[in-house]
Amino acid sequence: MDDSSLEENILKEVISTDAELTELVKTTGFKEALGQLTDEAGNISEPISMPIFVYEDEAPKKAIILYEDYQEDYVSWLDFSPEEREKNVRNKGKVEGFLITETEFKPTDPEIIIEGDSSIWKPNMPFVVKLELDGVQEELAVFLKQYEIKMTVKHVYEDTSKSIYQNLKHKVPSEDPLTYEFLSQGTMAELLENLNINRTYEGYDYKKMTVNGHQIEENYPVPRRSFELVIHYEGQVALVEAPTFDFDKMNVAWQIEHYALTKPSVLKIINSKLEKDWQLYATGSSMKNEKQDRLFNGELRLYQQGKFKQINDARQHVIDQERETLVQEIDFKGTTQEGLVLTQKQGNLIDQYSTKIVWSLESVPKITE
């Protein structure tokens, strides 16, 4: 570092104290020192701020390039255009250049050379950018960091914004929205598996996924920026549980006898469709002993509010959905005036008899009043 120079017969001198200069030269680069100017007549100026350049070892011969390594978001770096990437390096890397003449450091922008495949990256490995000015070269390191992104997840019915129920019976909605943070990698199917995000709920069929409103497939790559995932489900009208009716043992009747079920016998139906209700139909067949092909003399009756319908080979409309009930459990256990009742007539032989009931559901428009 020189402490004086001559330019156009004007003497420039650094007049900072030794202690001040000692502090300045602890680091390299441009600094502000205290100086003064003296002309040919010997006139001395008031103290002025004077830029000086501190260097190590030998003074630069042609040019000098100043820069700082820095850290950048990996996703942002990939998304930059070549022009944006160069601007990013120049600004965040604080890139400056100076051509050196006998009388001055002339500010001149260095050339920024960005080569190589930016998508090939590993944690903590820098992406090297070359800087060049009048034959002088430097290498600036951009440390690309992969930041965690956020995903907001919703589980909705069909194409609505209404959350599905994670518990139909008690009408417990899914815990929407939930937010997850993670590194962007892999496919959406892999991500859901790794985060244990469930897509199986009683009463619903998985339909599709959308990311920020656009439908995606299972192998869709995880987005590199924060996003909203909406998982869509179709509703069901389904008979999910049907009992076996056991009237146990009974004596041969000498007159008409009626027998009620004594054990819980529950038929379970779910309906998660917002726009539909259901009606339940039953079709029976003759009760007989299959081995002997012996018919039972009697019938099955379904009593409701003191009235009954015979369950036979004619399809019978037996039960309607209770309004706003998503899970309906129908227990056929009851009395001889309520529930499923076996009526025995005279003329049966001691034997074991059985029959089958075929249940069927029909969807009907939901009652809104």
Side-chain angles (χ1 to χ4, degrees):
M1 178 189 76
D2 296 327
D3 59 3
S4 67
S5 63
L6 187 64
E7 180 180 351
E8 297 180 356
N9 300 320
I10 299 294
L11 179 66
K12 299 178 181 180
E13 294 181 287
V14 175
I15 60 173
S16 296
T17 65
D18 289 343
E20 291 171 335
L21 291 176
T22 299
E23 188 67 27
L24 284 177
V25 298
K26 286 183 177 180
T27 56
T28 59
F30 280 97
K31 308 294 177 68
E32 293 290 333
L34 194 63
Q36 66 181 17
L37 304 178
T38 304
D39 63 16
E40 289 182 314
N43 298 313
I44 301 174
S45 70
E46 293 293 327
I48 61 171
S49 176
M50 182 176 291
I52 63 173
F53 182 74
V54 179
Y55 52 86
E56 292 182 356
D57 302 326
E58 296 182 3
K61 301 301 182 183
K62 294 182 178 181
I64 185 168
I65 301 173
L66 303 180
Y67 65 93
E68 291 182 10
D69 297 338
Y70 69 99
Q71 185 172 279
E72 181 58 84
D73 173 30
Y74 173 61
V75 173
S76 298
W77 182 263
L78 290 182
D79 288 344
F80 287 151
S81 66
E83 293 76 15
E84 291 171 330
R85 198 169 290 170
E86 180 177 330
K87 183 178 179 181
N88 179 271
V89 170
R90 194 174 299 280
N91 291 339
K92 287 193 174 182
K94 299 179 181 179
V95 177
E96 294 180 279
F98 299 88
L99 292 175
I100 301 172
T101 69
E102 293 181 357
T103 59
E104 67 174 345
F105 284 83
K106 182 180 180 181
T108 307
D109 286 337
E111 182 183 1
I112 294 176
I113 304 169
I114 301 176
E115 299 175 328
D117 187 353
S118 298
S119 64
I120 301 175
W121 167 85
K122 294 181 180 179
N124 302 318
M125 286 187 62
F127 185 83
V128 177
V129 176
K130 294 180 181 180
L131 309 175
E132 186 171 318
L133 179 61
D134 198 24
V136 175
Q137 293 185 341
E138 299 285 353
E139 290 187 345
L140 179 153
V142 181
F143 291 90
L144 300 177
K145 180 178 179 182
Q146 191 173 21
Y147 292 91
E148 288 188 335
I149 62 173
K150 290 184 179 180
M151 173 181 70
T152 302
V153 180
K154 295 180 181 179
H155 302 263
V156 302
Y157 177 79
E158 298 280 356
D159 294 314
T160 72
S161 59
K162 181 178 176 60
S163 296
I164 64 168
Y165 292 106
Q166 60 177 320
N167 185 309
L168 280 177
K169 184 175 181 180
H170 300 291
K171 294 185 177 180
V172 179
S174 58
E175 298 176 352
D176 292 342
L178 290 177
T179 301
Y180 301 83
E181 294 189 7
F182 49 87
L183 295 178
S184 175
Q185 55 188 0
T187 66
M188 288 300 299
E190 292 168 340
L191 177 65
L192 296 185
E193 182 178 356
N194 292 338
L195 295 177
N196 293 318
I197 295 177
N198 185 27
R199 286 186 285 171
T200 304
Y201 290 92
E202 181 185 29
Y204 297 96
D205 293 316
Y206 167 75
K207 182 180 179 182
K208 65 181 181 180
M209 292 188 292
T210 59
V211 167
N212 295 337
H214 301 286
Q215 185 171 345
I216 63 168
E217 301 299 329
E218 298 286 310
N219 60 354
Y220 187 81
V222 175
R224 299 200 301 263
R225 297 191 181 278
S226 297
F227 63 97
E228 179 184 67
L229 171 68
V230 179
I231 305 176
H232 300 256
Y233 299 84
E234 294 178 323
Q236 294 179 355
V237 176
L239 195 161
V240 295
E241 201 173 297
T244 297
F245 302 117
D246 186 357
F247 288 94
D248 212 347
K249 295 180 180 180
M250 61 190 70
N251 294 324
V252 173
W254 298 101
Q255 59 183 6
I256 295 178
E257 299 283 355
H258 304 284
Y259 308 93
L261 288 167
T262 58
K263 300 176 183 178
S265 302
V266 177
L267 183 144
K268 180 178 177 182
I269 300 173
I270 60 174
N271 180 13
S272 57
K273 286 185 174 291
L274 297 180
E275 70 284 358
K276 297 291 185 180
D277 283 343
W278 53 259
Q279 292 178 337
L280 179 66
Y281 290 79
T283 306
S285 59
S286 299
M287 189 176 297
K288 63 182 180 179
N289 179 291
E290 294 292 344
K291 292 183 179 179
Q292 303 294 333
D293 198 25
R294 182 179 295 152
L295 294 176
F296 177 79
N297 192 18
E299 62 191 32
L300 280 174
R301 298 176 177 180
L302 179 59
Y303 280 86
Q304 294 172 298
Q305 299 178 347
K307 298 180 180 181
F308 75 88
K309 293 181 179 179
Q310 185 177 341
I311 307 299
N312 53 29
D313 57 3
R315 190 168 180 261
Q316 296 280 350
H317 172 206
V318 290
I319 297 173
D320 289 319
Q321 178 179 341
E322 294 177 4
R323 289 187 62 186
E324 304 304 325
T325 302
L326 303 180
V327 178
Q328 193 162 330
E329 295 178 340
I330 305 161
D331 192 351
F332 290 90
K333 174 188 173 183
T335 67
T336 55
Q337 293 297 309
E338 192 69 27
L340 192 64
V341 174
L342 176 64
T343 297
Q344 182 186 186
K345 300 177 181 179
Q346 295 170 300
N348 287 309
L349 298 176
I350 297 175
D351 215 331
Q352 183 171 338
Y353 300 89
S354 64
T355 186
K356 291 182 179 179
I357 299 176
V358 177
W359 305 101
S360 56
L361 286 171
E362 283 192 8
S363 294
V364 294
K366 184 177 288 293
I367 300 174
T368 56
E369 297 182 357

